[in-house]
Amino acid sequence: MILELIFLLTGVQSIILKFKVPPGQQQCIKDSVSQNTLIYGNYDTTSLHYSFTLSIINQQDQESIIIQHANDINQQFHYVMEESGEISMCFEVEDYADVTIFNLFYESGAEIYDQDLLAKKQHVLNLNETLETMEQLQQDISREQLLIVDRENKRKHSFTDIQTKIIGFAGITFGLLIIVGACQVIYVRRFIVYKKLA
């Protein structure tokens, strides 16, 4: 494991980690966090075959999972501690995956004592997530629109081909009818001439 630790003496602790996790194994990073403290992190990975869990261990040693991610190259997480306790960030690689490298940035600190400010901070983070979700939805909608336009163009092209074939078939049929009609006229005229001579 390659570790790079950066501690800022301003009440905020930042940690940058780069580590490898073999298949079927788990790597956990723990930190003690005080009440009303914002924790934030993001990470990227070299594989999609993994799972990430952020758990809170309270003063009664009760552990509860609050965030869980999987199958995404880049992810971020955040949480505001309502009471003092310990957090555990665990990365687990699936059995059939290759050795996976994780790059983790984690930051904790900046205690928020004003509950109104705490709510606003959480609200801003939620808004950021909502905006990212809306951007993703907009991209999905744009792709769907392009697919619809492409399908419509293919249908128009197919309809034009069918029209061309119908017109061609009608032309051939009409030409054959004219030829048959002309043959009948010639046959009738010859029949009449033959009768007169007889």
Side-chain angles (χ1 to χ4, degrees), residues 30-46:
K30 296 185 178 181
D31 185 27
S32 296
V33 183
S34 57
Q35 186 179 15
N36 294 338
T37 298
L38 173 67
I39 59 174
Y40 169 82
N42 60 68
Y43 64 87
D44 59 77
T45 175
T46 57

Side-chain angles (χ1 to χ4, degrees), residues 109-125:
E111 295 184 359
I112 304 173
Y113 295 100
D114 187 346
Q115 295 299 320
D116 293 335
L117 183 60
L118 179 63
K120 291 178 182 178
K121 184 67 176 180
Q122 188 69 40
H123 181 64
V124 169
L125 293 173

Side-chain angles (χ1 to χ4, degrees), residues 1 3 5 7 13 15 17 19 26-33 39 52-57 61 63 77 81 85-91 104 106 108:
M1 179 189 299
L3 302 180
L5 304 181
F7 296 100
Q13 172 181 290
I15 302 175
L17 303 175
F19 54 93
Q26 184 184 70
Q27 177 68 50
C28 294
I29 298 97
K30 296 185 178 181
D31 185 27
S32 296
V33 183
I39 59 174
F52 166 80
T53 55
L54 175 63
S55 303
I56 300 297
I57 305 171
D61 291 331
E63 183 174 356
F77 57 90
M81 295 289 288
E86 186 179 57
I87 66 166
S88 176
M89 298 169 284
C90 292
F91 299 83
L104 170 68
Y106 164 73
S108 67

Side-chain angles (χ1 to χ4, degrees), residues 42 58 61 67 71 94 114 132 147 166 170 172 186 195:
N42 60 68
N58 59 21
D61 291 331
I67 296 175
N71 302 330
E94 297 176 1
D114 187 346
E132 291 177 359
L147 289 174
I166 291 174
I172 293 172
I186 294 171
K195 285 293 185 180

Side-chain angles (χ1 to χ4, degrees), residues 129-189:
E129 287 187 351
T130 303
L131 288 174
E132 291 177 359
T133 303
M134 291 178 65
E135 288 177 358
Q136 184 64 40
L137 289 174
Q138 183 180 6
Q139 293 176 1
D140 293 340
I141 291 172
S142 298
R143 284 194 292 267
E144 288 294 329
Q145 288 177 338
L146 291 175
L147 289 174
I148 291 172
V149 171
D150 184 61
R151 284 196 294 265
E152 288 298 323
N153 289 334
K154 289 181 178 178
R155 288 178 182 174
K156 288 180 181 178
H157 183 69
S158 177
F159 180 72
T160 303
D161 289 343
I162 293 172
Q163 278 187 324
T164 303
K165 291 178 180 178
I166 291 174
I167 293 172
F169 180 75
I172 293 172
T173 304
F174 184 70
L176 290 174
L177 289 174
I178 292 175
I179 293 172
V180 171
C183 291
Q184 287 180 341
V185 170
I186 294 171
Y187 174 78
V188 170
R189 290 181 63 183

Side-chain angles (χ1 to χ4, degrees), residues 90-104:
C90 292
F91 299 83
E92 184 175 359
V93 177
E94 297 176 1
D95 294 335
Y96 54 84
D98 297 326
V99 175
T100 304
I101 299 175
F102 293 92
N103 294 295
L104 170 68

